[in-house]
Amino acid sequence: MPEPARLSLDYWRQHTHLLREGLLQRVDELSVSDYPAATPKQGATPYQVIRFLQDFLAHICLTIDKATSEDRLRMLSALIRQLGVFLDWLDNAHTEQTPRGLAQLLKDLIDKMVPGSRVVARPQAQYNYSIYDLGKTFAMLVSDFIPQSKQIEFSEHLSAPIKLISFPRIERDNMLAHAIFGHELGHPVAEEFLANETRDHEHIATHPRIQKEVNDLVKQNVAGLNADESQILALTTQTFDRILQVRERALKELISDAVGIIIFGPCAFFACYELFWTGSWDARPAHDSWYPPSRMRVRRMLALMDDLNLLDFSRIGGDSRISAYLGSMQAFIDDARRLSAATDDQRGIESDPLLKIAYNWMGESLTKAIEHAKVKTTAVAFQPEKILDQLPELIQRLEIGVPPNEVGDPANPITVDYRASLLAAWLFKLRGINPDSGKTLTCEDIDRLRKKTLSAIEYVILQDEYARHVTEHNIRG
Amino acid sequence: MSVIGNLELKKLLGREKLAERLFITPLLNPELQINEASIDIRLGNDFIVTRRGNLAKLDPTTQDVAEHRYQMKHFVNFRERFYLHPHELVLAGTLEHFRLPVDVSATVTSRSQWGRAGLVIATATAVHPGFCGTITLELLNLGEVPLVLYPGTSVAQIVFYDCKGGIPYEGAMAHRTGAHFANLSRDKKMVDREFWLPT
C-alpha cells in the first residue's frame, strides 16, 4: 500500500502562523483590560508585558517564514503553545481580580531590594503564593528566538527586572494574609546564599565529613545484601544527592521565613501560622518538595523575632486602650511557643538517618544564612521602634472604622509605614472583638477590616508619592 | 442648622478625641482643598458603568438580576482618562474616606468649574451624621460634549452642617471602599413593600 502523500512544509508553516495569530489576537484582546498601576505615577506593568508579547510575536512571524524544516516549525509551534501561559497570567491580573494595594506594596518592597523592578500581580486558582522572574523568561526568549541584529529592538523591554507575583484567588481580598509575600521575597536571598556557599571554604571543608557519614550510612544499609561496588557507589551518590536536596530545601525555606519576619515582623508570623495550621505540624520532609516541618519553622521564626526584639511591645504597653490587643497577641504567641516547645518534628527527623545528616548539616549553616538575610534586607527591614509608636492610634482608627494610614496632629499628619497598618489590622483581628458591640467579630467585620487595611496601604503609598511630588515641584496651598 | 465655615472645619478636623473628629483621609492638600465653607474632594479610581444591553429596566419589584450582569466596574489608574459622554450616568467613588461625627451632617455638590461644564456630581447629596466610608458620586454629564475625568482631580465639594440630635448612620452605604451601587430591590427600609408595590 502506498504511503499517504506527505504534507508540504508550507502546510506546517501556515499551521504555525495560525497559532501565532491566534495568540496575538488573544493578547490584543487583553490589552483593553484595566490593570492596576504599581505606583500612582507609573503605568501598569501588564501593558508592558502585552507590548513585549506583541513585539515578540511580530518578529517570530519572520522566523516562521524563514524556517526551512519541519523540525524548526515544530519547535516554533511548541514555543507559541507554551507562550499561551501568558494568557492565563494576564487574564486575572486586571483590577477586578487584583487589589491595587497589593501590587503597590509588593512593587515598593521589591523596588527597595532590586531597584527599578516592575511587578505583575495576579490571582491563581491554586492555593499558592509565588514570585516568578518574568524578566529572565523575556531575556531567554529574545536571545533564543530573535536574530542578533534585531535584539536591540527589545532593549527597552529588557531594561528592568519584571516579577510575576501569584497569590491564591480565594485570598484575593485578604490583605492580612499577603504578609506571606515576605517569605516569597526571601527566595532570591536564599538562592544567593546557596550560590555563595559553593565558594565558601568553611562550607566546602565540611563536605568530606558529610561524605564519610554518607559512606557509613550506605554501608549499614547494604550490610548483608551482597551489593557489588558499583551498586554501592550508585547508592552513595544517590544518598549524597538526596541529602544535598533536603539541606538545600530546608535552608531555602528557613532563610525565606527569616526574610518574611525581617520585612513584615510579626505580621509575617501570623500569616504563616494561619497557613501552616491547615497542614500537619510534624510532616517529615518528603520526596519531591522536602519542605521542613511547620513546627520547626514556627520555632525558628519565634527565635528570630526574639532575637530581633520584635515581640517586645513594652514601650506601648502602658497605653490602657491597647493593652487588650496586646494581651490577645501575647496569648497567640504563647500558644505558638507551647506548640514549638514540643519536639515531635525533631524526633521525626532524627529517626531517619538521611534526614538527620541533612538537618545537622543544615543547622551548622543556619546562623550564617540568617545573617546573610539580615544584610540583604536592611533597606526593607521592619523597624519596631517606629512602627510600635504608631500602633495605638492606628488601632483606635480601626475601632472607629477609619483606615489606618496616618497618625499624629491632624493639621500635619504623619503617613505611617504600611507595615504598621498591617500590624494594627492583625492585632484587631487577633483580639476578635467588635469595639462597638463588644461581641466577637463577624465575617462581615473582618471583611471590612481587610478592605480598610487595603485602603490604608493604597493611601500610604499615594500620600508618600504626592508629598514627594509637592516637594519636588514646590507646590503650595 | 448652619453651614460650617473654614475656621470651624479646621477645628472639626483637629478635634482631640478621635471618635468626635471629622475624618477626611487622605486630605492631600488641606490648604488647597479647604475652602471658605466647604472642602474639595477628589475622584477615586473606581467607576461603575451600566451595561444597558443586559438591563431591561430598574424596578424595585422585579430587579432580580445579579448586579454584575448589568454593571461593569471600571478601574482607572491615576493619569488615565475616563470619558463621560453626554447624558451618561456613572457611579464613582471618592478618593477620600470620610467619617462624620454625630453632630455634623453634609451635602455633596459639584465644583463650579465642573458644574458649568455640565457635570452633575450627586443626585442624592445627603451625608448623614456618623457616616463612615467613601462616598459614591453619581456623575451625570448634562452638557453636549464628552467630559474627560481623571482620578485624583477635585470635581466635587462637600459642605458640612451642624446637626443637633443626630444618631450615627449605619445604613447600607456605610463602610464602603470604592464606588457602590445600591440595589433598589434590596432596600432594607422597604419592609412594607407589599403595601406599596404590586406583587
Side-chain angles (χ1 to χ4, degrees):
Chain A
M1 198 171 146
E3 275 192 26
R6 242 177 104 82
L7 292 170
S8 71
L9 195 62
D10 282 342
Y11 180 90
W12 294 115
R13 194 187 313 282
Q14 187 188 48
H15 175 83
T16 311
H17 268 306
L18 285 169
L19 261 184
R20 186 195 69 85
E21 280 169 21
L23 179 57
L24 190 56
Q25 280 171 17
R26 299 295 91 75
V27 170
D28 288 346
E29 286 162 12
L30 286 171
S31 69
V32 298
S33 297
D34 297 331
Y35 297 104
T39 79
K41 288 174 96 170
Q42 190 189 63
T45 306
Y47 295 122
Q48 292 159 356
V49 173
I50 286 169
R51 280 196 291 278
F52 171 84
L53 285 172
Q54 289 167 328
D55 289 351
F56 182 78
L57 290 168
H59 276 83
I60 283 292
C61 183
L62 195 63
T63 314
I64 296 168
D65 283 341
K66 285 185 174 171
T68 53
S69 70
E70 271 192 36
D71 280 347
R72 177 72 174 155
L73 288 170
R74 193 175 288 119
M75 195 259 288
L76 289 167
S77 291
L79 167 73
I80 294 163
R81 281 203 298 270
Q82 283 170 13
L83 290 178
V85 74
F86 276 90
L87 299 177
D88 183 36
W89 290 344
L90 290 167
D91 221 8
N92 287 319
H94 59 81
T95 44
E96 273 200 57
Q97 289 300 335
T98 299
R100 177 174 44 135
L102 176 63
Q104 290 181 331
L105 174 148
L106 291 168
K107 153 78 182 165
D108 188 66
L109 289 173
I110 290 175
D111 220 25
K112 284 177 180 146
M113 296 173 80
V114 188
S117 295
R118 299 164 185 168
V119 300
V120 178
R122 64 116 194 181
Q124 60 183 356
Q126 195 188 358
Y127 196 99
N128 191 29
Y129 293 84
S130 67
I131 298 180
Y132 173 73
D133 193 340
L134 211 51
K136 266 189 189 168
T137 303
F138 284 3
M140 183 273 291
L141 287 169
V142 171
S143 75
D144 289 0
F145 295 97
I146 301 297
Q148 195 121 31
S149 59
K150 301 279 183 190
Q151 287 185 9
I152 187 78
E153 293 173 29
F154 285 83
S155 54
E156 168 58 25
H157 290 304
L158 305 179
S159 62
I162 301 185
K163 310 286 182 189
L164 175 73
I165 294 163
S166 307
F167 57 91
R169 191 166 179 172
I170 58 172
E171 297 284 23
R172 184 190 67 193
D173 298 331
N174 186 358
M175 204 57 215
L176 280 67
H178 296 326
I180 284 173
F181 273 114
H183 170 94
E184 297 304 324
L185 291 168
H187 282 303
V189 177
E191 299 281 358
E192 189 184 12
F193 175 79
L194 291 164
N196 291 349
E197 245 192 352
T198 59
R199 299 183 297 274
D200 179 349
H201 294 298
E202 197 182 335
H203 172 68
I204 293 166
T206 62
H207 277 243
R209 175 172 53 82
I210 302 300
Q211 184 65 62
K212 184 178 175 311
E213 287 181 35
V214 171
N215 293 346
D216 292 346
L217 176 62
V218 171
K219 260 186 213 164
Q220 276 175 29
N221 287 348
V222 299
L225 292 181
N226 224 2
D228 62 29
E229 267 190 38
S230 65
Q231 286 171 315
I232 291 174
L233 182 63
L235 195 55
T236 305
T237 308
Q238 190 188 34
T239 307
F240 195 87
D241 282 350
R242 187 148 293 179
I243 284 172
L244 279 174
Q245 282 175 33
V246 173
R247 176 184 181 277
E248 188 178 301
R249 170 59 79 175
L251 272 175
K252 269 186 190 169
E253 296 306 316
L254 296 178
I255 294 172
S256 300
D257 286 346
V259 169
I261 294 293
I262 295 168
I263 295 177
F264 282 102
C267 305
F269 179 76
F270 301 139
C272 285
Y273 196 97
E274 282 193 352
L275 185 71
F276 295 157
W277 175 82
T278 55
S280 159
W281 292 108
D282 301 310
R284 284 197 296 185
H287 197 45
D288 287 345
S289 64
W290 303 114
Y291 279 104
S294 301
R295 195 188 300 271
M296 175 181 288
R297 296 172 70 174
V298 167
R299 190 181 301 119
R300 296 284 181 188
M301 283 194 273
L302 282 168
L304 181 62
M305 286 197 291
D306 288 336
D307 176 41
L308 297 173
N309 213 21
L310 298 182
L311 295 174
D312 179 8
F313 283 41
S314 55
R315 62 187 291 147
I316 52 167
D319 185 324
S320 59
R321 182 181 295 278
I322 201 174
S323 58
Y325 292 95
L326 296 184
S328 301
M329 187 199 75
Q330 193 55 52
F332 188 99
I333 295 290
D334 288 347
D335 264 356
R337 286 196 199 282
R338 271 191 292 279
L339 182 122
S340 72
T343 55
D344 302 35
D345 57 316
Q346 288 166 326
R347 279 188 276 122
I349 285 170
E350 280 166 17
S351 68
D352 181 319
L354 186 148
L355 295 179
K356 188 178 173 185
I357 295 172
Y359 269 75
N360 284 342
W361 195 17
M362 181 276 293
E364 292 168 15
S365 311
L366 197 55
T367 307
K368 201 184 255 189
I370 302 296
E371 285 309 312
H372 173 83
K374 286 181 191 170
V375 170
K376 291 291 166 184
T377 49
T378 314
V380 284
F382 183 91
Q383 296 172 289
E385 321 77 40
K386 183 178 149 196
I387 285 171
L388 292 191
D389 286 346
Q390 297 172 339
L391 267 188
E393 191 172 333
L394 294 180
I395 289 176
Q396 216 182 330
R397 286 171 76 101
L398 283 171
E399 283 183 332
I400 57 172
V402 177
N405 56 312
E406 57 191 8
V407 292
D409 176 9
N412 195 15
I414 298 164
T415 305
V416 301
D417 183 318
Y418 46 70
R419 285 158 301 182
S421 311
L422 261 185
L423 186 56
W426 265 108
L427 262 58
F428 196 87
K429 181 174 179 238
L430 290 178
R431 186 180 177 215
I433 302 289
N434 181 319
D436 289 335
S437 66
K439 292 179 181 166
T440 305
L441 289 180
T442 61
C443 290
E444 192 185 351
D445 291 334
I446 292 174
D447 182 54
R448 186 181 295 172
L449 172 71
R450 290 170 172 178
K451 286 181 175 151
K452 300 223 170 179
T453 307
L454 176 63
S455 289
I457 290 168
E458 291 174 357
Y459 288 158
V460 165
I461 290 169
L462 174 66
Q463 285 172 280
D464 280 345
E465 197 154 327
Y466 185 80
R468 273 199 301 278
H469 178 83
V470 164
T471 307
E472 283 165 15
H473 294 80
N474 199 23
I475 295 170
R476 289 183 185 178
Chain B
M1 187 174 81
S2 59
V3 175
I4 301 175
N6 180 293
L7 299 177
E8 287 302 311
L9 280 173
K10 286 177 180 166
K11 281 185 195 165
L12 268 178
L13 289 163
R15 276 182 179 173
E16 194 171 334
K17 286 187 180 171
L18 266 61
E20 296 171 5
R21 188 182 293 171
L22 166 65
F23 280 93
I24 303 178
T25 187
L27 196 54
L28 290 170
N29 200 327
E31 290 308 310
L32 278 181
Q33 288 180 249
I34 304 176
N35 303 313
E36 292 76 5
S38 70
I39 297 180
D40 290 344
I41 54 179
R42 299 172 189 271
L43 260 185
N45 305 89
D46 298 301
F47 293 80
I48 295 177
V49 182
T50 306
R51 289 168 162 164
R52 293 185 199 190
N54 287 346
L55 177 64
K57 61 187 181 303
L58 289 174
D59 178 341
T61 60
T62 58
Q63 188 184 332
D64 57 356
V65 190
E67 281 176 25
H68 64 265
R69 287 276 298 131
Y70 58 85
Q71 283 179 12
M72 188 169 65
K73 279 202 170 177
H74 194 50
F75 181 93
V76 183
N77 286 307
F78 293 111
R79 299 181 161 208
E80 288 180 2
R81 296 171 177 83
F82 180 87
Y83 298 98
L84 185 65
H85 287 269
H87 313 296
E88 184 182 13
L89 172 75
V90 301
L91 305 179
T94 55
L95 177 69
E96 297 89 353
H97 188 285
F98 299 81
R99 184 178 185 276
L100 273 59
V102 286
D103 56 348
V104 171
S105 65
T107 56
V108 179
T109 181
S110 308
R111 285 186 69 214
S112 304
Q113 289 96 328
W114 286 97
R116 287 167 202 180
L119 182 68
V120 173
I121 228 67
T123 43
T125 62
V127 184
H128 293 286
F131 172 84
C132 187
T134 52
I135 294 173
T136 296
L137 304 173
E138 298 112 16
L139 304 179
L140 176 63
N141 180 358
L142 287 180
E144 297 300 322
V145 293
L147 294 172
V148 186
L149 304 175
Y150 295 89
T153 50
S154 296
V155 293
Q157 56 186 324
I158 183 164
V159 180
F160 294 93
Y161 306 89
D162 289 319
C163 173
K164 288 194 176 115
I167 54 167
Y169 174 78
E170 279 299 337
M173 312 298 166
H175 298 290
R176 301 286 172 180
T177 54
H180 167 243
F181 179 80
N183 194 319
L184 296 179
S185 62
R186 292 189 206 142
D187 184 349
K188 285 179 185 168
K189 288 197 172 177
M190 288 288 283
V191 289
D192 52 359
R193 63 173 55 242
E194 287 78 10
F195 184 84
W196 302 108
L197 306 178
T199 50

